[in-house]
Amino acid sequence: AQSVTQLDSHVSVSEGTPVLLRCNYSSSYSPSLFWYVQHPNKGLQLLLKYTSAATLVKGINGFEAEFKKSETSFHLTKPSAHMSDAAEYFCVVSDPNGSARQLTFGSGTQLTVLP
Amino acid sequence: KAGVTQTPRYLIKTRGQQVTLSCSPISGHRSVSWYQQTPGQGLQFLFEYFSETQRNKGNFPGRFSGRQFSNSRSEMNVSTLELGDSALYLCASSLWAGGNQPQHFGDGTRLSIL
């Protein structure tokens, strides 16, 4: 069984300040982990993925995430927020060896960027 | 390369009707998954198809069904629509069905039930 918890439903930051979106997961195997972003009236766009290679994963648009097995966390960070980063972010866990893949999505974190 | 295309973008139906949603995956992608997104339940997995075979199914009633064609295009059907079926339905494609494959999402079909 697998589960994912996004610890904050809403995060508000000022433009130019760091972003931290927190995600904890639970899994009985070594999972694949993803972060997706969803802008209003759009589908989900992949930001980055972790699949048991480097624990620090770099994604698009300056985002990165660090896989910490001891803390079962996969937090998403960005050094400097931009207005265009305002969106909803989803942390996702998956069984990489599953014969039939079924993703488990977190409940989402709404990021607001203040001018 | 064209992305995942979902049609139609918006649909309005009444209770008891049925609806068919369409998804064209990225060229070369053979796996298609469907998700329901609502404010209350978030993103929930409906089913996944690979090579015209349903590989996995989420916890939805039998009114929800789907299929995949030989060109990997997929359709989802919902019969006897209920008010609670109002949602954004998202389709995603990937090259293979493995769990480490990132999925590429379409912009969804917004279904409203009156």
Side-chain angles (χ1 to χ4, degrees):
Chain A
Q2 59 191 26
S3 66
V4 60
T5 302
Q6 292 184 241
L7 298 168
D8 306 292
S9 58
H10 291 86
V11 170
S12 184
V13 301
S14 297
E15 190 174 21
T17 64
V19 175
L20 170 63
L21 305 182
R22 299 183 294 164
C23 172
N24 286 352
Y25 70 91
S26 172
S27 174
S28 56
Y29 38 77
S30 293
S32 290
L33 293 160
F34 307 84
W35 275 99
Y36 286 86
V37 61
Q38 185 178 32
H39 289 90
N41 297 316
K42 291 288 188 179
L44 280 70
Q45 179 187 17
L46 179 69
L47 282 176
L48 50 81
K49 67 172 182 175
Y50 166 79
T51 54
S52 76
T55 57
L56 183 62
V57 182
K58 293 189 184 298
I60 62 171
N61 300 335
F63 284 96
E64 62 181 37
E66 186 172 8
F67 174 72
K68 291 187 176 181
K69 187 175 181 179
S70 60
E71 299 176 11
T72 60
S73 69
F74 190 59
H75 300 336
L76 181 71
T77 61
K78 183 174 180 178
S80 177
H82 191 271
M83 295 297 289
S84 61
D85 295 328
E88 189 155 25
Y89 291 78
F90 293 92
C91 182
V92 182
V93 63
S94 171
D95 175 4
N97 298 312
S99 58
R101 179 263 319 277
Q102 184 170 335
L103 304 186
T104 299
F105 289 80
S107 55
T109 298
Q110 184 68 45
L111 175 66
T112 299
V113 181
L114 303 171
Chain B
K1 206 175 199 180
V4 177
T5 303
Q6 291 189 246
T7 56
R9 285 296 315 275
Y10 302 92
L11 261 180
I12 299 176
K13 292 285 186 179
T14 57
R15 282 183 298 172
Q17 287 186 309
Q18 75 166 16
V19 67
T20 299
L21 312 181
S22 179
C23 172
S24 293
I26 291 173
S27 177
H29 284 195
R30 294 173 60 188
S31 174
V32 173
S33 298
W34 288 89
Y35 299 86
Q36 182 194 65
Q37 186 177 26
T38 60
Q41 300 296 318
L43 273 151
Q44 295 184 283
F45 172 80
L46 279 157
F47 25 66
E48 178 190 27
Y49 288 88
F50 182 77
S51 293
E52 302 179 65
T53 301
Q54 187 180 89
R55 302 265 306 202
N56 200 13
K57 191 177 192 305
N59 190 26
F60 278 82
R63 300 185 297 108
F64 292 81
S65 63
R67 58 178 175 168
Q68 187 180 34
F69 302 95
S70 59
N71 61 357
S72 295
R73 190 177 72 85
S74 178
E75 287 182 348
M76 189 190 100
N77 186 76
V78 188
S79 62
T80 318
L81 286 165
E82 301 177 358
L83 291 177
D85 297 334
S86 293
L88 180 66
Y89 290 88
L90 293 166
C91 164
S93 74
S94 60
L95 279 170
W96 304 104
N100 62 351
Q101 291 287 311
Q103 296 199 71
H104 300 264
F105 285 80
D107 286 339
T109 294
R110 172 98 34 208
L111 176 62
S112 299
I113 312 301
L114 303 179

